[in-house]
Amino acid sequence: ELIERQRAEQALRDSEALYQSLVEVMPMSVCRKDLAGRFIFVNQRYCSEFNLTPEEIIGKTDFDLHPRELAEKYQQDDRAVMTGGRTIEQVEEHEPIGGRRVYVQVFKSPVYNARSEVTGVQTVFWDVTEHKLAAERLYASEERYRLISTVISDYTFSTAVQPDGRLRLS
């Protein structure tokens, strides 16, 4: 019985080490919160977003790390995930207090215990600001093209170079 227990404990430690190594090398920010919305885990990349250590984040809430309106939105999303047992994937604004506003791709999912009870929410996110801004520029460019195409299609004209070098439109 003792040997079996030691094997189980070692398997648990190995599983925890594998999880920790996975979330620490991912190029994404990872955090986990309890049912009250307090941070209970953050990876190093998440800490870098705020220029804080894990010890300075653990136990805090979104209201300690973000402007009020964003903190309210984040907590509303967390509650929807925890009460509905569903995941959320979306692009949203992200702004640490005193930091610059960026866009992030966010994936939130419920965290379950061994009894299949929701115990919190886990969030993974990464910066997509450049992609979002490029998409907005492309959309604006397409809108300008559509407008120009609509205006030009109403007119038929021809051009000719006059003897003095000027262009004549008719």
Side-chain angles (χ1 to χ4, degrees):
E1 185 177 304
L2 178 61
I3 291 173
E4 191 60 36
R5 184 172 148 205
Q6 289 173 338
R7 283 186 186 148
E9 288 173 354
Q10 184 60 46
L12 179 60
R13 283 192 298 275
D14 290 344
S15 177
E16 289 174 357
L18 177 63
Y19 176 79
Q20 290 295 333
S21 66
L22 174 66
V23 300
E24 288 303 335
V25 299
M26 289 174 33
M28 302 165 187
S29 296
V30 179
C31 69
R32 199 166 40 250
K33 300 175 202 165
D34 63 16
L35 292 172
R38 290 183 306 264
F39 289 92
I40 57 174
F41 171 82
V42 290
N43 71 348
Q44 190 54 49
R45 182 169 289 257
Y46 189 94
C47 293
S48 297
E49 291 281 326
F50 299 94
N51 203 21
L52 297 171
T53 66
E55 295 77 23
E56 293 171 308
I57 297 173
I58 302 299
K60 301 241 169 43
T61 70
D62 288 310
F63 290 97
D64 299 312
L65 302 174
H66 302 284
R68 183 166 202 68
E69 71 179 39
L70 287 178
E72 289 171 351
K73 185 218 182 299
Y74 296 162
Q75 287 202 343
Q76 180 181 1
D77 289 349
D78 292 350
R79 280 191 300 277
V81 167
M82 290 186 288
T83 59
R86 62 181 179 81
T87 61
I88 290 178
E89 184 174 358
Q90 62 194 7
V91 173
E92 62 187 29
E93 290 183 11
H94 175 72
E95 183 180 359
I97 291 178
R100 69 180 182 91
R101 186 173 294 235
V102 296
Y103 293 95
V104 292
Q105 179 74 42
V106 177
F107 180 79
K108 291 185 176 197
S109 62
V111 175
Y112 296 95
N113 64 17
R115 295 178 302 282
S116 297
E117 301 165 332
V118 174
T119 60
V121 63
Q122 181 160 282
T123 304
V124 178
F125 67 90
W126 56 98
D127 191 332
V128 294
T129 303
E130 289 305 315
H131 297 290
K132 174 119 170 103
L133 296 178
E136 288 174 358
R137 287 190 301 269
L138 178 61
Y139 179 78
S141 175
E142 289 173 346
E143 284 299 308
R144 284 191 303 274
Y145 174 76
R146 275 192 276 285
L147 178 62
I148 291 169
S149 298
T150 302
V151 170
I152 288 178
S153 69
D154 292 342
Y155 298 97
T156 303
F157 60 91
S158 62
T159 61
V161 177
Q162 298 179 7
D164 64 0
R166 292 186 298 156
L167 189 62
R168 186 186 85 206
L169 299 173
S170 56

